[in-house]
Amino acid sequence: MKFPDMLRTAFLNLWRRKLRAFLTVLGMVIGTSSIVVMVSLGVGMRQSMIESYASMGSLTNITVNNYRYVETADGGGTFKDVKLDNKAVDKIRKLPGVEGAMPQITAWGMAMSGKYATDVSIMGIDMEQAELFGIKLEDGEYPGNKLAGGKVQMLLPYDFYNNFYDPNANRWSPAIDKDGNPKITSRSRLKLTFDYSNVYTNQPGDPGQQKGKIYTLVPTGRLAQGGNDFSWYCIMDIKVLEKLAKENPNRISLNKKNYNQVIVKCKEIDDVLTIKAQIEEMGFGASCIQEWLKQSEEQLKQTQYLLGAIGGVSLLVAAIGIMNTMMMSIYERTKEIGIIKVLGCRMSNIAGMFLTEAAYIGFFGGVLGLGLSYGLSLVLNNFLESSGFKSIIPLYLAVGALAFSVVVALISGLYPAMRAMKLSPLAAIRNE
Amino acid sequence: MEAVKNAAAAQPIIQTRNVKKTYRVGSVDIQALRGVDLSIMPGEMVSIIGPSGSGKSTLLNVLAGLEHVTSGEIVIAGKRLDKMNQSELIVFRQKHVGFIFQSFNLMPYYTAVENVAFPLSFRGMPRKRREALAVEALKVMGLGKHLKHKPSQMSGGQQQRVGIARALVTNPDIVFADEPTGNLDSNTSDDVMRTICEVMRSRNKTLVMVTHDPNMAMYADKIIKILDGRVVDIQLNEHPTYLTPRPKRAIGDELEEQSEQAENKKDNKQGDTQR
């Protein structure tokens, strides 16, 4: 029997008993959609978890430290220093899958405006790599690499203006007016210094030293809020920071022989853990958000299995329904099966026909069940929006659920099909 | 009797040796066949006759490979049937055997063409080709006007003609018929038997028919009588009924033709309204 004939015959056989076929399909619809919706909630949980981790920093980044944790003989552990210099950075950059490696050169200074001031953490980066490392701007543009006329261009953290205070007041006095709005705004004139004695009038400063220079701070833009590892830094071009360091020799130390931290950007999110292992093999300490994510995923998996199992119960019931329907249909069609055996229908064709019928039930149940699941998922997402739960049906879940329901239907059709094969052709002769 | 004489030189197409069949009903053994020896030549038309319970149906089932024998040998078309398992028997039936049933056994939800084409689908024949063959076979049976009718829209005689077309469409060597006129009235029976015999003879097929009706048995060239599971008599029939002219009936042929036409009309109408 040709396959299209088999499909057609099996479909007609189902069509002849529309209501029963429909009810069996309905069982399968409920089974499939319950499993899909349950799993989709699990997928949604995982998604929200990943998103919450992603807001803590880029998932493709690895932070490399100039120390590492070593286990000692007594079972405890200690931190051991490692040299993290330009040579090491080059070596890391050359690892397969690494898109870039950026040493973090940081400095601390103070921004001033009138009598108010705020501490700033400054990071010098190569502006060409800024976008690569996910440094996104809320507004404005990236700063230039020139330090001319004492003007320093830099990006400010998102909430930069909220943090000003009066350093010389007797008690804590933030620069905030009666209405709670910051007194220092983007229209205020800003200055930058690396000498604290310029800010704190009660600090005399080192008498043996020259007073530190005061620069004009030119904000070029603000960093986007959250979503990366740098959002609380002021960011300027590395060349500018190097020049500033030269001009403030004792106040800024840029140790290019040993960086504190190097941020490594990976091309693929899947490679991150392998690359991290490779970096650790080179002797550096490394950490990444992926690692924590993995642990949380392990925990979430159990919840997902539980959800899947709950959905699976109704699929099991539906599978038994298929088996029942098929068995009944075989008892009803004993004579017909006898006739087609006499007419020369092969055993494999008979089994094939019944399996195809079962597969149809699984397939239609799966397709309709998926439709229902998408509908339920929409409704759930509307209702659960505020609770943080959400239901996501990714493509693999849809395809997988469809394939699974067909396979389940085939398995439940197996025993009935075997029964059909064993029926005697003599049933055709008997006259009831 | 030309065919029989020609066949005498050839090997028999069906040969049985000491075939026994015992059924076990509860704790009692019932011997349906107690040692049957037969040989049937290619192209022969044979009727097996006997009262009910004589074992004639069992013999037919055994010859058609629907049932296994308890002991003995069956050789059909050079193959040992008694040594085959169920799937081998199905393949054997596909190649060599056509079957005509007492209760027609048409698929009620299929049209005449689909019913006749059905056994060809088991051979993997494409749909267009098998339906063309089915249409041809139905036209030979005089059912050209009923191609799209379902069994419920046809008379008993017409249904059995569809059944005959279905048995022949696969071009088998042997056709087995199990009381082919058992569900038909006597006039229709006569028509159907004539159709069967004429078609078999024109294609030189072997026919093995089981009946309890001596009139029907007389259509064959050879009549095998069975009683209590044994062959008690084998008769050559010099004057098979299908070769004799149709008997004049009490109601004239003319009238019958008219009624036949009327029936056809009615059927067509019925078919139209049902569709």
Side-chain angles (χ1 to χ4, degrees):
Chain A
M1 215 171 177
K2 284 236 163 62
F3 191 62
D5 284 332
M6 191 102 89
L7 287 181
R8 194 167 158 268
T9 315
F11 186 80
L12 280 175
N13 282 339
L14 281 179
W15 192 248
R16 273 155 55 200
R17 295 172 178 84
K18 289 187 241 342
L19 181 64
R20 192 157 76 199
F22 171 73
L23 290 175
T24 318
V25 167
L26 190 65
M28 213 55 195
V29 167
I30 294 168
T32 310
S33 55
S34 71
I35 228 175
V36 169
V37 168
M38 285 298 180
V39 173
S40 82
L41 285 175
V43 174
M45 279 171 153
R46 183 169 177 271
Q47 185 78 19
S48 354
M49 189 190 74
I50 290 175
E51 272 166 18
S52 75
Y53 275 110
S55 68
M56 294 162 60
S58 173
L59 289 176
T60 48
N61 284 4
I62 301 170
T63 309
V64 183
N65 299 315
N66 64 345
Y67 55 84
R68 66 175 156 154
Y69 186 79
V70 226
E71 277 181 22
T72 49
D74 57 5
T78 178
F79 289 101
K80 198 180 150 198
D81 287 334
V82 200
K83 209 171 176 194
L84 194 54
D85 53 8
N86 272 331
K87 237 166 106 187
V89 172
D90 275 345
K91 236 168 113 187
I92 290 170
R93 219 173 250 149
K94 276 178 193 143
L95 286 175
V98 170
E99 198 164 15
M102 180 169 73
Q104 280 197 358
I105 303 175
T106 47
W108 289 269
M110 292 210 83
M112 302 181 290
S113 184
K115 64 171 180 169
Y116 296 108
T118 181
D119 298 89
V120 286
S121 311
I122 296 168
M123 184 157 74
I125 62 164
D126 185 352
M127 276 306 152
E128 277 165 24
Q129 294 201 46
E131 233 163 320
L132 185 66
F133 281 88
I135 297 171
K136 294 197 192 80
L137 300 185
E138 180 74 22
D139 46 43
E141 55 189 5
Y142 292 108
N145 58 4
K146 295 259 156 45
L147 176 64
K151 282 182 184 163
V152 180
Q153 292 189 356
M154 63 188 212
L155 286 168
L156 301 179
Y158 184 80
D159 57 354
F160 177 77
Y161 295 112
N162 299 340
N163 298 330
F164 280 88
Y165 61 95
D166 183 354
N168 298 309
N170 290 330
R171 52 193 172 89
W172 173 246
S173 49
I176 293 190
D177 64 14
K178 295 190 293 270
D179 304 327
N181 294 320
K183 285 181 185 165
I184 310 296
T185 66
S186 52
R187 284 186 302 277
S188 312
R189 286 166 57 101
L190 297 171
K191 288 195 168 78
L192 178 70
T193 185
F194 296 91
D195 183 352
Y196 289 90
S197 65
N198 285 336
V199 179
Y200 296 97
T201 46
N202 56 356
Q203 268 193 11
D206 198 335
Q209 250 185 19
Q210 239 185 318
K211 270 260 187 202
K213 244 177 123 175
I214 294 177
Y215 302 89
T216 310
L217 201 169
V218 185
T220 60
R222 268 193 317 162
L223 287 164
Q225 189 177 23
N228 59 62
D229 305 311
F230 316 102
S231 50
W232 52 284
Y233 278 107
C234 291
I235 290 180
M236 64 172 68
D237 196 280
I238 190 158
K239 292 197 184 90
V240 178
L241 188 58
E242 279 167 5
K243 280 177 199 154
L244 289 173
K246 245 182 227 164
E247 293 181 12
N248 298 275
N250 294 315
R251 299 188 174 96
I252 305 175
S253 68
L254 297 183
N255 190 352
K256 292 181 99 174
K257 298 238 166 65
N258 192 0
Y259 298 117
N260 285 331
Q261 269 189 350
V262 176
I263 308 282
V264 177
K265 174 95 181 170
C266 305
K267 279 184 192 131
E268 298 293 333
I269 203 158
D270 299 332
D271 292 344
V272 173
L273 289 174
T274 344
I275 292 170
K276 176 180 171 278
Q278 281 171 324
I279 292 171
E280 276 170 344
E281 232 166 73
M282 290 161 71
F284 303 109
S287 65
C288 58
I289 291 174
Q290 281 258 328
E291 226 171 7
W292 311 338
L293 189 64
K294 198 148 196 175
Q295 281 179 0
S296 309
E297 266 183 338
E298 290 293 321
Q299 289 166 356
L300 192 61
K301 233 172 214 159
Q302 292 185 353
T303 316
Q304 281 176 319
Y305 284 141
L306 187 69
L307 286 172
I310 292 169
V313 170
S314 35
L315 192 68
L316 184 70
V317 174
I320 294 170
I322 291 182
M323 202 157 165
N324 188 28
T325 306
M326 300 299 294
M327 288 308 292
M328 269 173 70
S329 126
I330 280 162
Y331 287 132
E332 276 174 13
R333 280 147 70 184
T334 304
K335 180 154 183 151
E336 186 189 316
I337 294 163
I339 295 168
I340 63 175
K341 269 192 177 176
V342 174
L343 294 181
C345 183
R346 293 182 190 225
M347 306 276 252
S348 54
N349 286 163
I350 292 175
M353 232 143 64
F354 278 91
L355 286 176
T356 313
E357 276 180 46
Y360 266 126
I361 295 175
F363 179 76
F364 289 129
V367 168
L368 294 176
L370 274 182
L372 181 64
S373 312
Y374 276 108
L376 281 176
S377 169
L378 268 179
V379 172
L380 275 180
N381 282 343
N382 265 332
F383 276 106
L384 294 178
E385 211 174 9
S386 51
S387 73
F389 267 106
K390 60 183 165 178
S391 151
I392 296 170
I393 305 176
L395 187 66
Y396 72 80
L397 178 58
V399 174
L402 189 57
F404 189 56
S405 60
V406 171
V407 168
V408 166
L410 280 176
I411 291 170
S412 5
L414 213 56
Y415 177 68
M418 270 155 59
R419 285 291 290 263
M421 280 203 300
K422 280 190 194 138
L423 285 176
S424 159
L426 276 178
I429 308 289
R430 286 187 202 115
N431 292 303
E432 288 103 36
Chain B
M1 292 291 89
E2 279 298 309
V4 179
K5 277 174 201 158
N6 289 343
Q11 286 282 88
I13 191 159
I14 300 177
Q15 198 159 34
T16 70
R17 263 180 234 119
N18 199 21
V19 166
K20 288 182 183 168
K21 176 77 189 174
T22 310
Y23 291 108
R24 199 173 180 94
V25 180
S27 56
V28 187
D29 285 343
I30 294 174
Q31 288 182 303
L33 298 176
R34 300 166 189 245
V36 174
D37 296 280
L38 273 182
S39 91
I40 296 169
M41 292 296 163
E44 255 187 319
M45 297 204 286
V46 178
S47 56
I48 300 171
I49 187 168
S52 61
S54 59
K56 60 183 191 307
S57 290
T58 305
L59 181 58
L60 187 84
N61 294 345
V62 156
L63 290 180
L66 305 183
E67 256 184 302
H68 280 107
V69 295
T70 310
S71 69
E73 268 179 34
I74 302 177
V75 182
I76 295 184
K79 305 249 167 59
R80 281 286 293 270
L81 233 61
D82 50 302
K83 296 251 164 95
M84 291 184 187
N85 62 26
Q86 245 215 82
S87 35
E88 286 167 341
L89 283 173
I90 286 175
V91 176
F92 170 81
R93 279 203 292 277
Q94 250 189 24
K95 283 187 186 152
H96 299 287
V97 173
F99 213 98
I100 301 170
F101 301 89
Q102 178 181 355
S103 46
F104 324 135
N105 281 349
L106 302 177
M107 301 290 152
Y109 36 87
Y110 282 172
T111 64
V113 172
E114 285 167 337
N115 261 297
V116 175
F118 200 33
L120 293 174
S121 77
F122 303 140
R123 288 161 178 74
M125 192 182 279
R127 195 162 151 210
K128 274 201 176 145
R129 231 182 105 204
R130 63 177 195 251
E131 293 204 337
L133 283 176
V135 169
E136 200 181 303
L138 282 166
K139 280 185 178 157
V140 170
M141 289 294 133
L143 290 170
K145 285 180 185 166
H146 301 273
L147 298 176
K148 298 283 177 198
H149 286 186
K150 296 203 168 159
S152 56
Q153 298 162 347
M154 289 187 276
S155 68
Q158 288 166 339
Q159 287 188 50
Q160 191 57 299
R161 281 165 206 268
V162 176
I164 297 165
R166 182 176 65 182
L168 286 169
V169 78
T170 57
N171 198 22
D173 306 326
I174 312 165
V175 174
F176 292 98
D178 178 32
E179 304 263 15
T181 59
N183 285 15
L184 302 173
D185 64 63
S186 61
N187 281 359
T188 322
S189 296
D190 192 53
D191 283 344
V192 166
M193 278 316 300
R194 276 175 194 275
T195 315
I196 293 180
C197 294
E198 278 160 17
V199 167
M200 294 298 152
R201 179 55 20 100
S202 69
R203 300 190 181 185
N204 206 22
K205 304 282 181 212
T206 310
L207 174 74
V208 180
M209 175 179 77
V210 157
T211 181
H212 66 277
D213 182 347
N215 288 330
M216 295 301 131
M218 289 306 283
Y219 280 88
D221 307 323
K222 199 183 202 177
I223 299 162
I224 299 170
K225 281 190 184 153
I226 295 238
L227 196 63
D228 292 335
R230 285 197 183 88
V231 176
V232 289
D233 188 17
I234 300 181
Q235 255 175 34
L236 284 183
N237 182 9
E238 295 291 333
H239 303 288
T241 316
Y242 73 96
L243 291 176
T244 63
R246 275 165 177 255
K248 288 273 179 202
R249 294 188 190 114
I251 313 163
D253 278 358
E254 212 177 303
L255 200 65
E256 200 214 4
E257 242 168 55
Q258 277 173 7
S259 74
E260 174 91 82
Q261 276 171 2
E263 195 186 63
N264 281 353
K265 249 185 198 167
K266 198 185 80 194
D267 284 350
N268 281 337
K269 237 184 190 170
Q270 205 179 0
D272 288 341
T273 50
Q274 283 203 356
R275 265 177 287 140

